[in-house]
Amino acid sequence: MTNSITNFVPLSNVNESCTTCPQQVEITDFTKYDHHAFKLRYRSNSIISASTTEEEKPLPVIKILGTGGTIASKAQSSNVTAGYAVDLTIEELLSHIPDLSTTCILEYEQVMNIDSKDMGLPEVAKLYKQIKEDLSKYDGIVITHGTDTMEETAFFIQSTINTDKPIVFCGSMRPSTAISSDGPMNLYQAIVIASHPESHGRGVLIALNDRIGAGYYITKSNANSLDTFKTVGQGYIGNFVNDEVKYYFPAAKPLGMTYFELGEQFNLPEVPIIYAHQGLNNKILELSLKEMNAKGLVIASMGAGSLSAETNEFLHNLVTPGFPIIYSKRSMDGMVPLGGLPRFNGKVFDNAVAGGYLNPQKARILLQLCLNEGYDLSKIKKVFKTV
């Protein structure tokens, strides 16, 4: 990092007659690569600027990584909740949340500022590398992210970064300009959650609308509602009420996870997802595998691994030995068990792999990571057997 610039900026929402309120905030701007990183530190009468006694515990230092999304978007009017554009920085978002001077020390960095529909492997890799770089320096990480693909990024980070420090994703369903925008509260809650000592050892978290869920399982269930992120079978792990973080269970990460250590440079193999439906034209399977040079396939099956006999027969004749086909499911909840896989001549289709509880988009990421690691079909089956 180069060119450090420090400024003290008056807080716009401070009551000047309050002698115990922080009166200024220190913002240090570090020019870094192609973007800026900032260190936010309250001063004056705040706890940070006061002397620390031996009995006082130091405040946790939390890093916010901004990637864009609806939480950083503006619309043309306050009643518009669709068709908006990403237009806000992390610095602007932080100006709309309550004082955190007695909760944590904040630093923040704008890693990118895009709609999450544009989040591809290069963008996820950039975020992954930033988290890896920052993790040893901070007590927790908060990531602002669009909700459309948040669950995929959270699953990828959970599968590739093994830490007990809290990594908390947050976003919003309404743009910043909307009536009752949910972004500021979701960001505030995510920071408090990342600062909380009981958030350690729980894996990657997603925090929206007062709910705390495991990034490994949680999924976006509604295209419009604020209460969109659900884990029907596994349930939420906690909630946020009136400035209090409440967990329902002792700290634990989801069972059955496999961690993958990625190098500085990586390029995951191509794995398409095919959504099954009545009257599926099997030609799309052949086109996907041959034209895309796919190394594996994920099927969003009907029910718990259900595909028509014709489609299963087509796949059986299409693929070569060792080619993995993950049988996932269209439904949000439930699982694909081993017993749901197709059989030929009394034996389970050897290429078929039960997707367990994972939805198709998460099964795809897990298969890509397995293939990137060089796992053969037998090892891939062992990995998926635990999910």
Side-chain angles (χ1 to χ4, degrees), residues 14-26:
V14 159
N15 180 357
E16 294 182 0
S17 63
C18 175
T19 58
T20 61
C21 298
Q23 299 298 310
Q24 291 180 311
V25 61
E26 175 190 358

Side-chain angles (χ1 to χ4, degrees), residues 97-363:
I97 67 174
D99 169 38
L100 286 158
S101 62
T102 58
T103 302
C104 64
I105 299 170
L106 280 180
E107 297 189 22
Y108 58 96
E109 185 168 341
Q110 195 75 52
V111 181
M112 62 195 82
N113 212 18
I114 62 174
D115 191 305
S116 71
K117 69 176 183 290
D118 298 317
M119 187 77 73
L121 182 58
E123 292 74 25
V124 172
K126 184 177 183 179
L127 178 61
Y128 162 82
K129 291 172 186 176
Q130 189 64 59
I131 296 171
K132 290 278 282 187
E133 178 184 323
D134 288 337
L135 203 53
S136 63
K137 309 170 191 174
Y138 301 94
D139 299 301
I141 304 287
V142 170
I143 300 159
T144 60
H145 195 292
T147 59
D148 285 352
T149 65
M150 182 186 291
E151 66 190 83
E152 293 173 67
T153 305
F155 183 88
F156 179 90
I157 297 301
Q158 177 67 87
S159 300
T160 56
I161 297 180
N162 190 1
T163 180
D164 281 336
K165 293 183 179 180
I167 299 175
V168 186
F169 281 77
C170 72
S172 74
M173 291 298 291
R174 292 174 180 166
S176 64
T177 47
I179 301 168
S180 299
S181 173
D182 53 326
M185 178 58 90
N186 287 341
L187 176 57
Y188 174 76
Q189 291 183 358
I191 296 169
V192 176
I193 291 166
S195 305
H196 200 283
E198 290 188 17
S199 296
H200 287 249
R202 297 182 183 273
V204 173
L205 305 175
I206 288 182
L208 271 91
N209 200 46
D210 306 336
R211 316 278 195 179
I212 307 171
Y216 196 77
Y217 287 119
I218 203 165
T219 187
K220 185 174 180 178
S221 66
N222 190 298
N224 316 106
S225 172
L226 300 187
D227 194 22
T228 179
F229 278 89
K230 307 282 187 184
T231 46
V232 178
Q234 295 76 24
Y236 297 109
I237 65 172
N239 71 344
F240 189 104
V241 178
N242 195 37
D243 240 16
E244 295 181 30
V245 179
K246 297 290 186 181
Y247 286 107
Y248 308 137
F249 317 106
K253 298 177 184 179
L255 292 174
M257 292 188 302
T258 301
Y259 284 103
F260 300 86
E261 188 66 38
L262 299 175
E264 277 296 310
Q265 302 294 327
F266 56 89
N267 187 24
L268 300 183
E270 188 68 55
V271 174
I273 299 173
I274 299 297
Y275 193 91
H277 54 83
Q278 292 178 347
L280 175 67
N281 188 330
N282 293 326
K283 266 301 198 182
I284 194 171
L285 298 166
E286 184 176 11
L287 288 171
S288 297
L289 299 192
K290 292 184 176 179
E291 295 299 324
M292 296 173 62
N293 191 30
K295 304 303 181 185
L297 176 67
V298 175
I299 302 285
S301 70
M302 301 172 284
S306 298
L307 288 179
S308 70
E310 181 184 353
T311 296
N312 281 323
E313 183 73 32
F314 188 89
L315 282 170
H316 184 259
N317 296 329
L318 176 66
V319 298
T320 56
F323 185 92
I325 303 174
I326 311 300
Y327 280 66
S328 183
K329 70 279 191 306
R330 302 189 314 189
S331 56
M332 190 181 81
D333 195 23
M335 69 171 295
V336 176
L338 293 172
L341 298 178
R343 304 177 73 88
F344 294 95
N345 300 319
K347 296 181 179 180
V348 175
F349 180 22
D350 190 57
N351 298 75
V353 181
Y357 289 102
L358 297 184
N359 62 25
Q361 53 269 37
K362 293 184 179 183

